[in-house]
Amino acid sequence: AYYFLPAMLLAKGSRVLAADEETVLEVVQVREHQTRQVMELQAGDATLTVTPDHRVMVPAQVGVSENREVLARHLHAGDSVLCSHGVEKQLTKVDILMLDGDLKVLSIAFEPDEAVNTFVPPPEVILSRGQARKATRRNGMNRRGRGSANHTLHEDDAQSVPNTAPGAYVD
């Protein structure tokens, strides 16, 4: 099983699964910098907010077998991009946002240099607590030596427990 990890928790030497879900990539560089411009890309339900010089995967051109990368600044609504599981989708929204102040962003380099899945958590979620933990079954340990309404102990069935006071055990 694999899980998504926030980019801010990645460090040089971290290992990440490539988009092909087979190749393991190593983080070889994490660089922090500031920007005042970001782009919001949307293709159906898939969204991604990036800097204009972020590389985005697009389908191969006719006659070329490999997919390619394009800088986000060159993308427009209607262009095709590659999404989860290599599915090709058309961009439905490409917005360039100018920010009032600096925004801290990370540039992360992987070796080998292959595509990775990104995960953007939704802005608001419903909280849950998961499944309630089942009580540990003690197999009747709390009823030792007692009969129940449906079961009476015969003298031969009862476990033998010495009837002694503390420190006065006699065999």
Side-chain angles (χ1 to χ4, degrees):
Y2 57 90
Y3 55 95
F4 291 94
L5 190 67
M8 67 185 117
L9 296 180
L10 293 176
K12 186 174 181 178
S14 295
R15 299 202 181 277
V16 175
L17 196 59
D20 67 9
E21 298 181 359
E22 293 178 6
T23 307
V24 176
L25 311 177
E26 182 176 347
V27 174
V28 293
Q29 183 181 45
V30 178
R31 189 174 59 89
E32 183 179 308
H33 58 98
Q34 306 288 327
T35 189
R36 288 187 174 213
Q37 185 179 33
V38 294
M39 297 182 67
E40 288 183 352
L41 308 176
Q42 184 170 356
D45 291 336
T47 62
L48 183 62
T49 301
V50 295
T51 59
D53 47 333
H54 191 90
R55 300 180 302 160
V56 178
M57 295 304 297
V58 297
Q61 293 178 321
V62 176
V64 178
S65 62
E66 290 192 24
N67 297 324
R68 59 192 178 92
E69 62 190 51
V70 171
L71 296 179
R73 72 169 45 107
H74 299 301
L75 293 172
H76 304 283
D79 290 347
S80 293
V81 294
L82 292 175
C83 297
S84 303
H85 310 292
V87 174
E88 181 179 334
K89 292 186 177 182
Q90 282 192 335
L91 287 169
T92 53
K93 179 174 113 175
V94 176
D95 288 340
I96 299 173
L97 305 173
M98 297 302 292
L99 308 174
D100 292 332
D102 287 338
L103 176 68
K104 178 177 81 170
V105 295
L106 298 174
S107 294
I108 302 172
F110 302 101
E111 185 63 42
D113 184 22
E114 293 192 25
V116 295
N117 288 314
T118 59
F119 174 72
V120 179
E124 194 156 337
V125 297
I126 297 172
L127 302 180
S128 75
R129 293 183 71 177
Q131 187 66 33
R133 186 173 66 182
K134 291 183 179 182
T136 304
R137 185 166 180 235
R138 295 288 184 178
N139 202 14
M141 292 296 288
N142 62 343
R143 289 179 271 153
R144 189 177 346 163
R146 291 188 295 169
S148 67
N150 296 330
H151 179 70
T152 55
L153 291 176
H154 297 290
E155 194 172 301
D156 295 340
D157 293 339
Q159 294 182 359
S160 173
V161 178
N163 186 14
T164 59
Y169 177 73
V170 179
D171 199 340

